[in-house]
Structures are given as structure tokens and as C-alpha cells.
Amino acid sequence: MAAASYRFSIGPWNIGRGADPFGPPVRPQVAFDDVLKAAVSLGFEGIQFHDDDAVPDLENLSPSQIVHVAEAMRRKLADMGLTPEFVAPRLWEHPHGIDGGYTSNDPAARKWAIERSKRAVDVALALGIDLIVMWPAREGTSVRESKNPIEASQQMLDAINAILAESPKARIAIEPKPNEPVDHAFVPTIGHALSLGARSQDPRRVGVLIESAHAILAGLDPSDEMGFALAAGKLWSVHLNDQNGLKFDQDKVFGAANLRGAFDQVRVLESANYAASGAFVGFDVKAQRTQKAESATAHLATSKAVFLRLVEKVRSFPNATAQQCITARDYEALERLVLEHLLSA
Ligand code: XUL
Ligand code: MN
């Protein structure tokens, strides 16, 4: 199997303006069409969408107008040789989503969140795809006593069922993250996501998207999280990146903080033949704030290059020697083997 069989994807938010909570944007906005051109030139086939990336201003459009605009986007992508990967309802930026959407304490906001998610299904279908990514951004609390976790779990399940009911084709990949922007999220890990999916009306249509940094923020090993989802046939996308410890979600270049951890993620994907599943490898990475506009896609090129180098490293790993170490229960020798392999030219 050639390394080229991996399909790579990005979202427009991966070519950002460098704003952080303490400072304004430092680079000009990159027009959406230029994001698509950058994707083509960097060798990314897939485009990930928030619903309003695909259909700007969708809150002010009728359902049929939304479909019309999304169909035009579908044609634009096809003309450029690009493929849409998924649509994620962007609940976390709208005033109705201020206290979360599905788990808001305001019933009107909860209703809005479900309606907006159904429109995201319409957008996906009009783009010719069936995958909805659910990142439950503000579905949680910063004041523990402000929401009832039992009710919130049911509300999350209700939202999943409403999306599934919108179309028999719709599939949901839940992208859990334990914190940020909230202090404690209600669906913080892959285990929670898969458990909710299993309790849904159609468990076959609920899987997960694993972001490396989100697993690390939960104190978990991303490759083990991926293995858990792969064992269940539920790893429907990945957001590879890196994270330097327990702080805000850094979206660092894949492998930048923990190259061995990145190797392990590629290894588990390779061992499950993830590429053959047709699922995309996405990089949810951000350019550093210091980066100048003319080279503000370098983080994407580096992440993909590191991934492909690590595919080679996985394929050239001395598996037979490793197995001897395992059989002898000589894990110190295995440790040395892995480190020497990673250090070798
Ligand atoms: C947030 C995050 C999102 C999702 C898509 O941390 O990862 O960008 O990937 O909505
Ligand atoms: Mn992500």
C-alpha cells in the first residue's frame, strides 16, 4: 500500500488570522476561495466545513436557499478536484449558543440548536456527503451547579437522535473535548461519545472524530483512544495535531511536542489500515501568531510531511525484533528499539 493512499483534509479555520484571547488578529483574512487554492497546492483533497463556512449567513436563509447555496459550493469544490469531508453545526459563536446549545438552560436556545443542526444535515446532503461532526463546544459548565448532568446527558442524546432522524443517511462523528471553552464538558472523552452513540436510536450511524490534542487534554493517550474507536469500527475521522501538556487547546503541528506520540498515532492508524477505510486524515493545526502572512500555511505542510515521514517510520519498524522483545518481556529492549528507530536516519 502506497503512502499516497491517505486522503488529507483541512478546514478553513486552519488558515487563521492569529488572534488569541490576549491580542487581535495579526494577519489579513484569507478569502475562502484562497483557502481552497491553498488546499489544492498543499495536496489536501478534503475540505471540512462548519455549516456557515459552506453557507454563509445561513441563519437568515430559508431551508431551500440553504440547499441552493450548498449545491453551488459542491460544484465549486468538484471543479477544483476537492471533496467535502464533513459539516459541523457551529453552535458556539451564535448568541443563542452562549450557554451551550443542546444543554442550554434556555429551552428556546435548545430548540434553536436542534434546528440549526438539522440545517447542517441539509447542507451536508446538498454537498453530497453524509457526515456531521458534533463538537459539543459549550455543552458543559463553568459553574458546576448551573446544570444537571443527568438532564444534560439526556439532552445530548436527544440532539443525536434528532440529527439521525433528520435523514436516514446522516452519520454523526462526535468530537469530544474535555474543556475549553467550558471548564468541564459533558462529553469529555471517546468513551462518553461511544456510549452515547450506543444508546442512540441508530448506533450504526454514530461514531467519533478524535483530535490528538483533545485526548491529551483529557490526560489520555491519543493512540490508545484511536485504538479503542478503531476496535469498535467507529473512527470516522481524525484531527491530528499536538499539545504541550495540560493547558489551552494549542493545535500545534503534528508531532511538534511529542514525536513518539505522533509515531504511535500513525502506527495505530496503519495497523488498522485506516487509509483503506476511505476516511480522511485531517490536521486541526493553527499557524503561530508570530507567523507572517506569506508563510501562514507552513504548519499544514509540515504536519502532512511529518505524517508521511512517520508512515515510512512505521513501515520500516523492525516488527520481528520488537516481537522478540515482547515475547521475552524485555520492555527495556523494546524501549531502546523504538527510540533508536525514531533517531535513525
Ligand atoms: C475545537 C475543534 C473544532 C472542531 C470542528 O477545538 O477542534 O475546530 O474540530 O468544529
Ligand atoms: Mn478538531
Short mmCIF file of all heavy atoms in Angstrom, two decimals, residues 19 35 61 95 103 116 154 159 161 180 184 186 191 220 231 238 297-298 303 311 321-322:
data_model
loop_
_atom_site.label_atom_id
_atom_site.label_comp_id
_atom_site.label_asym_id
_atom_site.label_seq_id
_atom_site.Cartn_x
_atom_site.Cartn_y
_atom_site.Cartn_z
N ALA A 19 -5.40 35.58 15.90
CA ALA A 19 -5.93 36.19 17.13
C ALA A 19 -5.80 35.18 18.28
O ALA A 19 -5.86 33.97 18.06
CB ALA A 19 -7.40 36.56 16.94
N VAL A 35 -8.42 29.79 0.41
CA VAL A 35 -8.24 28.59 1.25
C VAL A 35 -8.30 27.35 0.37
O VAL A 35 -7.48 26.43 0.47
CB VAL A 35 -9.32 28.51 2.36
CG1 VAL A 35 -9.26 27.17 3.08
CG2 VAL A 35 -9.15 29.67 3.35
N LEU A 61 -31.29 32.56 5.95
CA LEU A 61 -31.75 31.96 4.69
C LEU A 61 -32.82 30.91 4.96
O LEU A 61 -32.83 30.28 6.03
CB LEU A 61 -30.57 31.31 3.95
CG LEU A 61 -29.38 32.21 3.58
CD1 LEU A 61 -28.32 31.39 2.84
CD2 LEU A 61 -29.82 33.38 2.71
N PRO A 95 -25.28 34.01 19.47
CA PRO A 95 -25.79 34.41 20.80
C PRO A 95 -26.67 33.36 21.45
O PRO A 95 -26.62 33.18 22.68
CB PRO A 95 -26.60 35.69 20.50
CG PRO A 95 -26.05 36.20 19.21
CD PRO A 95 -25.50 35.04 18.44
N THR A 103 -27.59 21.70 25.54
CA THR A 103 -27.73 21.63 27.00
C THR A 103 -27.92 23.00 27.63
O THR A 103 -27.74 23.16 28.84
CB THR A 103 -26.50 20.96 27.64
OG1 THR A 103 -25.35 21.79 27.40
CG2 THR A 103 -26.24 19.57 27.08
N ARG A 116 -30.79 24.22 14.07
CA ARG A 116 -29.56 24.56 13.34
C ARG A 116 -28.81 23.28 12.93
O ARG A 116 -28.24 23.19 11.85
CB ARG A 116 -28.68 25.46 14.20
CG ARG A 116 -27.32 25.72 13.64
CD ARG A 116 -27.11 27.14 13.23
NE ARG A 116 -25.77 27.28 12.68
CZ ARG A 116 -25.06 28.39 12.70
NH1 ARG A 116 -25.55 29.47 13.24
NH2 ARG A 116 -23.86 28.45 12.15
N GLN A 154 -29.13 13.38 28.82
CA GLN A 154 -30.33 13.06 28.04
C GLN A 154 -30.50 14.07 26.89
O GLN A 154 -30.85 13.69 25.77
CB GLN A 154 -31.57 13.06 28.95
CG GLN A 154 -32.85 12.62 28.25
CD GLN A 154 -32.76 11.22 27.65
OE1 GLN A 154 -32.27 10.29 28.30
NE2 GLN A 154 -33.19 11.07 26.40
N ALA A 159 -30.36 15.30 21.11
CA ALA A 159 -29.80 16.02 19.96
C ALA A 159 -29.28 15.03 18.92
O ALA A 159 -29.52 15.18 17.71
CB ALA A 159 -28.69 16.96 20.41
N ASN A 161 -30.27 11.99 18.47
CA ASN A 161 -31.42 11.33 17.83
C ASN A 161 -32.13 12.26 16.84
O ASN A 161 -32.58 11.80 15.78
CB ASN A 161 -32.40 10.84 18.90
CG ASN A 161 -31.87 9.57 19.58
OD1 ASN A 161 -31.11 8.81 18.98
ND2 ASN A 161 -32.27 9.35 20.82
N GLU A 180 -12.47 23.76 27.61
CA GLU A 180 -12.22 24.86 26.69
C GLU A 180 -13.16 24.82 25.49
O GLU A 180 -13.04 23.92 24.66
CB GLU A 180 -10.76 24.87 26.19
CG GLU A 180 -10.35 26.24 25.74
CD GLU A 180 -9.24 26.24 24.70
OE1 GLU A 180 -9.08 25.26 23.97
OE2 GLU A 180 -8.57 27.24 24.60
N HIS A 184 -15.77 22.21 32.33
CA HIS A 184 -16.00 20.77 32.26
C HIS A 184 -17.04 20.48 31.19
O HIS A 184 -18.16 20.98 31.28
CB HIS A 184 -16.51 20.23 33.59
CG HIS A 184 -15.47 20.20 34.67
ND1 HIS A 184 -14.42 19.31 34.66
CD2 HIS A 184 -15.33 20.94 35.77
CE1 HIS A 184 -13.66 19.52 35.72
NE2 HIS A 184 -14.19 20.50 36.41
N PHE A 186 -19.62 18.00 29.01
CA PHE A 186 -20.45 16.83 29.34
C PHE A 186 -20.05 15.57 28.56
O PHE A 186 -20.39 14.47 28.97
CB PHE A 186 -21.93 17.14 29.08
CG PHE A 186 -22.54 18.02 30.12
CD1 PHE A 186 -23.25 19.15 29.76
CD2 PHE A 186 -22.38 17.73 31.47
CE1 PHE A 186 -23.82 19.97 30.72
CE2 PHE A 186 -22.94 18.54 32.44
CZ PHE A 186 -23.66 19.68 32.07
N GLY A 191 -14.84 7.55 25.15
CA GLY A 191 -15.71 6.58 25.84
C GLY A 191 -17.11 7.14 26.04
O GLY A 191 -18.11 6.45 25.79
N LEU A 220 -5.21 11.58 28.35
CA LEU A 220 -5.24 10.26 27.71
C LEU A 220 -4.25 10.21 26.55
O LEU A 220 -3.82 11.25 26.03
CB LEU A 220 -6.66 9.97 27.20
CG LEU A 220 -7.72 9.92 28.31
CD1 LEU A 220 -9.12 9.89 27.71
CD2 LEU A 220 -7.50 8.72 29.22
N ALA A 231 -11.22 -0.35 17.25
CA ALA A 231 -11.68 -1.69 17.61
C ALA A 231 -13.19 -1.81 17.47
O ALA A 231 -13.73 -2.89 17.22
CB ALA A 231 -11.26 -2.01 19.05
N VAL A 238 -10.04 11.88 11.87
CA VAL A 238 -9.07 12.29 12.90
C VAL A 238 -8.67 13.74 12.67
O VAL A 238 -8.66 14.23 11.54
CB VAL A 238 -7.80 11.41 12.91
CG1 VAL A 238 -8.09 10.02 13.44
CG2 VAL A 238 -7.14 11.33 11.53
N THR A 297 0.70 29.06 5.87
CA THR A 297 0.19 27.70 5.69
C THR A 297 1.29 26.67 5.95
O THR A 297 1.10 25.48 5.73
CB THR A 297 -0.39 27.48 4.27
OG1 THR A 297 0.63 27.77 3.32
CG2 THR A 297 -1.60 28.35 4.01
N ALA A 298 2.45 27.14 6.43
CA ALA A 298 3.59 26.24 6.65
C ALA A 298 3.23 25.13 7.65
O ALA A 298 3.70 23.99 7.52
CB ALA A 298 4.79 27.03 7.16
N SER A 303 2.79 19.50 8.98
CA SER A 303 2.03 18.40 9.59
C SER A 303 1.89 17.23 8.63
O SER A 303 2.07 16.06 9.01
CB SER A 303 0.63 18.88 10.01
OG SER A 303 0.75 19.83 11.06
N VAL A 311 4.75 7.61 8.52
CA VAL A 311 4.24 6.40 7.85
C VAL A 311 5.44 5.54 7.43
O VAL A 311 5.46 4.31 7.65
CB VAL A 311 3.36 6.76 6.62
CG1 VAL A 311 3.07 5.51 5.79
CG2 VAL A 311 2.06 7.41 7.06
N THR A 321 11.89 -8.01 15.50
CA THR A 321 12.73 -7.79 16.68
C THR A 321 11.87 -7.31 17.85
O THR A 321 12.05 -7.74 19.00
CB THR A 321 13.82 -6.74 16.37
OG1 THR A 321 14.42 -7.07 15.13
CG2 THR A 321 14.87 -6.68 17.46
N ALA A 322 10.92 -6.44 17.54
CA ALA A 322 10.03 -5.95 18.60
C ALA A 322 9.28 -7.12 19.22
O ALA A 322 9.12 -7.20 20.45
CB ALA A 322 9.05 -4.94 18.02
#
